[in-house]
Amino acid sequence: MSTRFRWMSLRRQEVALIAVTAVWGSTFLLVHWAMQHSGPWFFVGIRFLVAGIISIVIFRSALRGIRWRDIGAGIAIGVMIYLGYGLQTVGLQTIDSSTSAFITAMYIPLVPLAQWAVFRKRPPAMAFVGAGLAFLGLILIAGPDAFALTLGSGEILTMISTLPIAAEIILISVFAGRIDLGRITIVQLLTAGVLGLLTMPVVGEGVPEFSWIWVGCAVGLGAASCIIQLTMNWAQKSISPTRATIIYAGEPVWAAAIGRIAGERLPVTALIGGALVVLGILASELRLVRRRDEAPAAE
C-alpha cells in the first residue's frame, strides 16, 4: 500500500465562498474605524438592520409564504450572528483589525469537531493536524503574555466570539436545503440587528453622535453582510461545514493585507502566528489517499 496527498477541486459554490471571504476580510478594518465614532452594539444593530432591509427588497416576494420553521431557523442563526459579530466588534475597540481577524480564525479548527458532534461524521486526520497548527499560531499572535495567561479583554472577547461563529456555520448546514433561501436570510439578519440594539440599554451604551464615518461603514457593511450571508446560505446547501470553513481560512490573510496597506504593523511573531493559522487550515484540506501498489510484471 502507498499513501499520497490529494487536493480537492473547486466548484462554483466554493469559488463564490472564496469571493465573499475576500469581502469578509476587508470588513475588519471598517469596523475598527467605526468603533472610533460609535458604540459596538449600536453599530452591530444598525449594520444588520441595513442588511435585513436590503434582503427584504431583494426577497420581498418570498415573505408571502413564510413558515414558522423558516422563522425558527432564521432566529437560531441570527442569534449566533449577533453573538459572534457583537463580541468581535467589542473586541475591535481595543485591538487592531489584523489581530482580530487572525484570532477569529480559531473558529475554523472548531468546525470539524462540531461537525463530528452534530452530524456524527468523523473529520479527516488532517483536520486535527490543522487544529494543532492553528492553536500554536494563536499563541504567537497573542504574544509573550499568552504564556502567562494575561490576554487582554479584546483578545479574550474575540476568542469567545469564535464559538458562535462556528455554531453559525454548523446551523446553516443543518437547515440548508430545507429552508427557503430568501426567508432565512431576511430573518437571520433582522434578528441580529434587533438584538444588537436591544443590548445597548443592558450594557449602558448610548446612541452615538452623528458621523458620516459610522453611517458609511454601517451601510457598506450592511450590504456586505447581506451578500456574505446570502452566499453562505446558498453555497452550504452542497458544501460540508468543514469544507466551507477551510475556504474561510483566507479571511485573515485578506484582513492582514488590507490592514498593512492602511498602516497597521503587526509584530513578526504575530505574522508568523497568522501564517501558522492559515497553514493549519490549509493542511486540513489535504486528504490522505491510500492505493494498492501494482504487482510487479512477470518476467
Side-chain angles (χ1 to χ4, degrees), residues 70 105 147 165 185 195 280:
D70 296 318
F147 296 98
I165 290 174
T185 301
L195 289 176

Side-chain angles (χ1 to χ4, degrees), residues 179-195:
I179 303 297
D180 181 82
L181 176 64
R183 296 169 191 162
I184 195 172
T185 301
I186 292 172
V187 175
Q188 69 189 41
L189 291 173
L190 291 179
T191 297
V194 170
L195 289 176

Side-chain angles (χ1 to χ4, degrees), residues 121-143:
K121 183 178 180 181
R122 186 181 182 279
M126 293 303 295
F128 295 99
V129 174
L133 289 171
F135 179 73
L136 178 59
L138 175 61
I139 292 177
L140 291 176
I141 292 166

Side-chain angles (χ1 to χ4, degrees), residues 78-102:
V79 169
M80 295 302 106
I81 294 174
Y82 151 75
L83 291 172
Y85 282 86
L87 293 173
Q88 185 187 87
T89 302
V90 174
L92 277 165
Q93 291 182 299
T94 55
I95 62 177
D96 61 41
S97 62
S98 300
T99 302
S100 176
F102 281 136

Side-chain angles (χ1 to χ4, degrees), residues 114-236:
Q115 181 182 353
W116 191 1
V118 174
F119 297 102
R120 306 298 180 186
K121 183 178 180 181
R122 186 181 182 279
M126 293 303 295
F128 295 99
V129 174
L133 289 171
F135 179 73
L136 178 59
L138 175 61
I139 292 177
L140 291 176
I141 292 166
D145 290 342
F147 296 98
L149 299 179
T150 56
L151 291 173
S153 60
E155 288 85 355
I156 292 173
L157 287 173
T158 306
M159 288 173 64
I160 296 173
S161 75
T162 64
L163 298 175
I165 290 174
E168 175 201 351
I169 295 172
I170 293 295
L171 285 174
I172 289 174
S173 290
V174 167
F175 296 119
R178 296 188 289 166
I179 303 297
D180 181 82
L181 176 64
R183 296 169 191 162
I184 195 172
T185 301
I186 292 172
V187 175
Q188 69 189 41
L189 291 173
L190 291 179
T191 297
V194 170
L195 289 176
L197 294 181
L198 290 178
T199 304
M200 291 174 61
V202 176
V203 299
E205 180 181 320
V207 177
E209 295 183 5
F210 180 84
S211 168
W212 283 112
I213 294 180
W214 70 252
V215 171
C217 289
V219 173
L221 290 176
S225 297
C226 181
I227 294 172
I228 291 169
Q229 297 303 142
L230 176 61
T231 305
M232 290 174 66
N233 292 340
W234 168 72
Q236 287 191 229

